[in-house]
Amino acid sequence: MKIPAFQRPFVWKDEQAIRLLDSLASNYPVGSLLLWKTAEKLQTERNIGDFTLPETDDHSPTDYVLDGQQRLTVIYSCLGAPEHEGGFAAGYDLVEEEFIPMTNQAPLTVFPLRALFNTSRLLDFRTALQSRPDKDELQRRLDSLIRVLSGYRLPVVTLKNLNLDEVCPIFERINDSGTRLSIYDLMVAATWSRDFDLNVRTKNLATALERKDFDKIEQSTVLKVLSAIHTSSVQRESILQLRNLGATALDELVEKARGGLERAVDLLVTDFRVHSLDFLPYEAHLVILASLFSERKKLKNPELVRARQWFWRSAFSERFKGASESFISRGITQASNFISGESGSADDFGDLPTARNLLRLGFRKNGAGSRAFSLAMGKKGPRNLTNGSAIDTFAALSVYNKHQFHHIFPQAFLKRLDDQIDSNRLMNICFLSASENNEISDGDPCVYIPELARTLGGSAAGVFASSLLPNPSNFDYAKTNYDDFLIARAEIAEKWVQQLCEGGR
């Protein structure tokens, strides 16, 4: 019997173990075990609770434990483990007639359950009891305990002639934690061999991306990249097909994925200013680029222009919002054909954003439009409105920090006017260093913006343009209102965003 790697860890407390022992001694039913007998070889846990299980041969069919791990662990820990091993050990107090955690200072009348099937230890304990005046009663209680525990029958249901796909829904249904078995958990177990461990390979991939701050890549994303490279699909069925590959083929696939991911991340960082996954509009962008770069070292200039068109248009159009696996799978081939120049047009991935489109977008941390606009602002090379100094866009776009984003019409200011006004409109956001943000605070923009423009003097036009803001020399900030400002800024942002969506730098 083995514990498959997708099982959750042992989590029972000592008091739960004691209750189970009491139920066994009372001959109460404690539920059945569910096993799966199969010739399939899965990654298994050699550790069960605090114990390391012995190696077994991999040639015979194996009984994998689907339900009952916690009970089996307690039974093995208390009744089957050698006395010298660590982990939870229990004793039976023959005087109080109750189970207790076993300690080295336990009195003579506490029977160590691990001695139950050790004949010499059992005889030693019986002999020691002879010094007690109540030895006959204690012997009777001991015999009764031994009889019921050694004779207890635990019901077992064994599933046979089922494959992994058929077993997983059963496991998910009976799993006490209510946590759905992830496809990654499944694939770790299904692809494991002495020569290949998906967990180890995934961690190595993440480490390889650490220098670009992409080491937080999701395990499921790695699986999708592997599948996209292997079959041009991220559908569950395609991912499951990976388990049919041998260790050598899987290793080769992982190496292709490593190269594809590293080159994809390089492009995202250098060309799109995506300095962390916090600002990647969609996971699909990384998966598709990694698949593309698994077959090529770099993009030629026309291909790079088309890659920009694909990226910006699909981001601003929110093309992958709620997209199904089949839609993303089609997108892998579609994007590859377009970027390589084989077929398709930029319009296939979204229309050019207009000022009206930008006005509708709200600023939301996880919104693709918000992330895309943040990257677009980063590409513009923004400068602080307060002093004209360059903003560190690497810091601003590495980890999401709300203090790096400034509401041009401050939230508190708008709330004082009308608490129904939406201050989180995307066109109301620009980059501003945290310290400068605090300086402006919740000031009236009709006052603080003209003052900033006067302070900046001749550099005001350039500083404002770097943040896609109307030029203070031809836009009257002192007399504008919120809606007019948003419209004016959206018209400026439209030109820059459309330039990006046409493949410009």
Side-chain angles (χ1 to χ4, degrees):
M1 295 167 63
K2 293 186 177 182
I3 307 296
F6 54 70
Q7 276 278 21
R8 271 52 181 181
F10 178 74
V11 296
W12 272 20
K13 306 298 183 185
D14 290 359
E15 53 269 25
Q16 291 173 284
I18 293 294
R19 283 200 299 272
L20 175 65
L21 292 171
D22 186 66
S23 294
L24 296 176
S26 301
N27 217 11
Y28 293 161
V30 296
S32 61
L33 303 180
L34 181 63
L35 306 180
W36 171 40
K37 183 182 288 293
T38 179
E40 289 197 44
K41 298 306 172 188
L42 307 181
Q43 182 185 11
T44 58
E45 296 293 346
R46 287 195 59 217
N47 293 328
I48 179 169
D50 294 318
F51 305 99
T52 300
L53 301 179
E55 290 279 9
T56 57
D57 76 86
D58 283 327
H59 303 295
S60 306
T62 304
D63 287 330
Y64 294 106
V65 179
L66 297 183
D67 189 34
Q69 178 201 176
Q70 311 293 320
R71 286 166 287 158
L72 277 177
T73 301
V74 171
I75 291 171
Y76 175 74
S77 176
C78 295
L79 304 178
E83 284 192 74
H84 64 273
E85 280 199 21
F88 180 73
Y92 185 73
D93 189 327
L94 296 170
V95 175
E96 300 296 333
E97 296 187 273
E98 64 181 7
F99 292 97
I100 61 173
M102 196 68 195
T103 66
N104 292 330
Q105 292 76 39
L108 178 67
T109 54
V110 174
F111 173 62
L113 294 182
R114 289 182 179 180
L116 181 66
F117 299 109
N118 185 325
T119 304
S120 60
R121 279 286 290 118
L122 182 56
L123 288 174
D124 290 343
F125 184 82
R126 286 185 183 280
T127 300
L129 284 180
Q130 297 306 309
S131 62
R132 295 274 305 186
D134 53 352
K135 62 181 185 301
D136 292 337
E137 178 60 21
L138 296 183
Q139 287 281 8
R140 186 190 66 77
R141 293 176 182 177
L142 177 62
D143 289 341
S144 176
L145 176 71
I146 293 172
R147 184 169 57 253
V148 70
L149 288 182
S150 61
Y152 192 92
R153 295 293 179 264
L154 197 61
V156 178
V157 176
T158 303
L159 303 177
K160 300 177 182 179
N161 303 319
L162 296 178
N163 60 37
L164 196 57
D165 293 347
E166 293 169 317
V167 164
C168 281
I170 298 172
F171 175 79
E172 292 167 5
R173 184 66 61 87
I174 53 87
N175 179 19
D176 289 338
S177 71
T179 303
R180 190 177 189 274
L181 181 64
S182 75
I183 192 170
Y184 180 79
D185 295 329
L186 171 61
M187 291 302 294
V188 166
T191 59
W192 183 87
S193 70
R194 286 183 172 84
D195 300 315
F196 184 84
D197 187 328
L198 181 60
N199 253 333
V200 172
R201 299 301 195 275
T202 300
K203 289 175 183 176
N204 290 343
L205 275 177
T207 300
L209 301 177
E210 189 172 7
R211 63 185 179 85
K212 293 290 188 179
D213 291 325
F214 271 71
D215 53 308
K216 299 296 190 296
I217 184 171
E218 295 284 342
Q219 296 166 329
S220 58
T221 304
V222 173
L223 269 185
K224 290 175 184 177
V225 170
L226 294 173
S227 183
I229 294 172
H230 185 58
T231 63
S232 296
S233 171
V234 295
Q235 294 192 77
R236 182 181 176 88
E237 296 76 15
S238 299
I239 293 174
L240 291 175
Q241 287 178 20
L242 297 177
R243 71 179 187 269
N244 298 324
L245 300 177
T248 301
L250 282 168
D251 259 332
E252 292 173 354
L253 182 60
V254 169
E255 284 307 305
K256 287 185 72 174
R258 180 200 298 272
L261 279 166
E262 288 179 338
R263 290 186 284 275
V265 168
D266 281 340
L267 179 68
L268 288 170
V269 170
T270 57
D271 205 280
F272 300 109
R273 301 295 192 271
V274 184
H275 292 296
S276 83
L277 289 166
D278 278 350
F279 288 93
L280 183 69
Y282 290 107
E283 175 195 55
H285 285 122
L286 179 58
V287 172
I288 292 172
L289 285 176
S291 175
L292 181 72
F293 276 114
S294 70
E295 300 294 340
R296 61 184 73 202
K297 299 294 183 183
K298 62 179 181 179
L299 299 179
K300 299 174 183 177
N301 190 59
E303 294 173 327
L304 182 56
V305 169
R306 288 191 288 269
R308 291 171 185 153
Q309 293 175 321
W310 163 78
F311 178 86
W312 291 112
R313 287 184 184 231
S314 59
F316 275 107
S317 68
E318 300 187 324
R319 179 173 178 78
F320 297 111
K321 183 177 181 179
S324 66
E325 293 170 348
S326 60
F327 182 85
I328 294 172
S329 297
R330 290 194 298 273
I332 295 171
T333 302
Q334 189 179 20
S336 178
N337 289 342
F338 171 67
I339 293 172
S340 63
E342 294 180 22
S343 62
S345 71
D347 290 339
D348 294 335
F349 307 103
D351 297 329
L352 290 175
T354 64
R356 179 176 292 182
N357 299 142
L358 296 173
L359 280 170
R360 283 200 296 263
L361 292 174
F363 181 66
R364 304 288 183 268
K365 175 186 174 183
N366 295 322
S370 298
R371 293 179 174 187
F373 188 65
S374 298
L375 299 174
M377 288 193 294
K379 289 276 290 181
K380 193 67 175 173
R383 295 155 64 185
N384 274 309
L385 295 176
T386 56
N387 54 25
S389 62
I391 291 174
D392 184 355
T393 54
F394 174 81
L397 295 172
S398 289
V399 179
Y400 176 78
N401 181 350
K402 66 180 181 181
H403 298 298
Q404 298 279 5
F405 294 89
H406 171 61
H407 289 76
I408 301 162
F409 273 64
Q411 292 176 296
F413 168 78
L414 289 174
K415 190 170 184 178
R416 289 196 297 268
L417 294 180
D418 184 346
D419 60 9
Q420 298 301 309
I421 296 176
D422 182 7
S423 61
N424 272 323
R425 302 280 287 280
L426 191 56
M427 290 300 100
N428 190 34
I429 302 296
C430 73
F431 283 126
L432 193 64
S433 298
S435 58
E436 311 300 327
N437 208 338
N438 292 333
E439 180 181 318
I440 293 175
S441 187
D442 60 350
D444 183 342
C446 294
V447 175
Y448 87 79
I449 294 180
E451 288 179 353
L452 292 178
R454 284 192 293 272
T455 302
L456 291 168
S459 63
V463 172
F464 275 59
S466 73
S467 291
L468 301 173
L469 292 170
N471 188 334
S473 66
N474 54 36
F475 184 82
D476 193 350
Y477 282 96
K479 295 182 179 179
T480 192
N481 59 43
Y482 185 47
D483 288 335
D484 288 344
F485 163 75
L486 294 177
I487 292 170
R489 192 184 186 210
E491 291 172 352
I492 294 171
E494 175 191 80
K495 295 176 182 178
W496 174 240
V497 168
Q498 288 190 0
Q499 182 179 328
L500 296 175
C501 289
E502 292 285 29
R505 293 185 62 85

